[in-house]
Amino acid sequence: IKKYWTYQICGKQSNISFRHVESEMVRDADNPIAVVKWMAEFDNRRENRADKTNKRVKFCQMAKLIFEVEGKEKTMKISYLEEYAQGMLGKNFQWPGIDASVSDNDLWDRIRFDPPKPPPAVACEICGESFPSRTKLFAHIRNTEKRYEAESGRYICVPNSEATKKKRLE
């Protein structure tokens, strides 16, 4: 481990910035366990890359820590570390920077990666039926025609000849 640390961390990384996100630290009240979160960015020297020897690395990382008491002073030491990292490159991320000027709430908004929300439902202007996507609406329009319904005094959509042919074939 020492050899790895000396070569990989000390030997290849420079311009390191670090921020502990204290507001999201969670400590188990009954057990010596904590979950901590931090952000880091640094320049990483890469080998065997003629044109790209340095790369700026940005990530958000969380770790589960288990502590144990050591020595006469009963000092808490980390006895187990389990890390989880999230790279912060790509169009879906807004790297907030490491400095303390960004509030923890802003960090939360920028770091979280929520799946994209589905597009809002779209409605047919004739009959008012709602569709989960424009594709489904267009299929409805292609397969219906508007017809005036005297009873309700409004237009409705009814299957057209194209839709009727499809049904017969099925």
Side-chain angles (χ1 to χ4, degrees):
I1 292 174
K2 181 181 178 184
K3 190 176 179 182
Y4 169 82
W5 183 265
T6 303
Y7 176 75
Q8 185 68 29
I9 308 303
C10 299
K12 293 174 73 178
Q13 297 175 358
S14 61
N15 298 322
I16 300 169
S17 297
F18 174 89
R19 178 175 176 183
H20 175 215
V21 185
E22 293 180 38
S23 65
E24 294 192 38
M25 183 170 65
V26 179
R27 178 131 200 293
D28 187 315
D30 300 321
N31 300 295
I33 299 172
V35 176
V36 297
K37 182 178 190 177
W38 66 90
M39 297 167 52
E41 61 181 287
F42 54 85
D43 293 327
N44 189 45
R45 183 174 50 82
R46 303 185 311 173
E47 296 175 347
N48 302 322
R49 305 269 176 108
D51 56 338
K52 295 182 179 180
T53 56
N54 288 302
K55 178 182 179 184
R56 189 74 177 160
V57 176
K58 301 174 182 182
F59 63 86
C60 177
Q61 191 159 19
M62 295 183 77
K64 173 184 173 183
L65 306 173
I66 298 178
F67 301 90
E68 63 183 39
V69 178
E70 280 190 0
K72 293 177 185 175
E73 301 89 30
K74 296 190 176 188
T75 308
M76 296 288 272
K77 301 275 184 171
I78 297 171
S79 63
Y80 177 78
L81 167 71
E82 187 176 316
E83 296 177 300
Y84 302 92
Q86 172 177 310
M88 298 298 293
L89 295 174
K91 64 179 182 173
N92 293 324
F93 296 104
Q94 301 172 358
W95 182 247
I98 299 294
D99 64 72
S101 67
V102 178
S103 73
D104 285 357
N105 287 338
D106 284 341
L107 287 179
W108 177 263
D109 290 339
R110 294 180 187 184
I111 292 172
R112 278 191 62 170
F113 180 68
D114 292 323
K117 292 182 174 90
V122 289
C124 174
E125 291 179 359
I126 298 167
C127 66
E129 185 177 347
S130 187
F131 297 92
S133 68
R134 291 173 40 145
T135 304
K136 298 283 185 186
L137 171 64
F138 293 151
H140 166 77
I141 292 169
R142 256 192 325 273
N143 294 308
T144 60
E145 57 189 41
K146 81 176 178 180
R147 184 172 295 154
Y148 184 74
E149 187 180 58
E151 192 176 293
S152 65
R154 61 185 181 94
Y155 285 97
I156 61 168
C157 292
V158 294
N160 62 17
S161 59
E162 198 65 31
T164 310
K165 279 183 205 173
K166 271 188 184 177
K167 273 194 174 182
R168 268 191 258 134
L169 292 173
E170 291 172 356

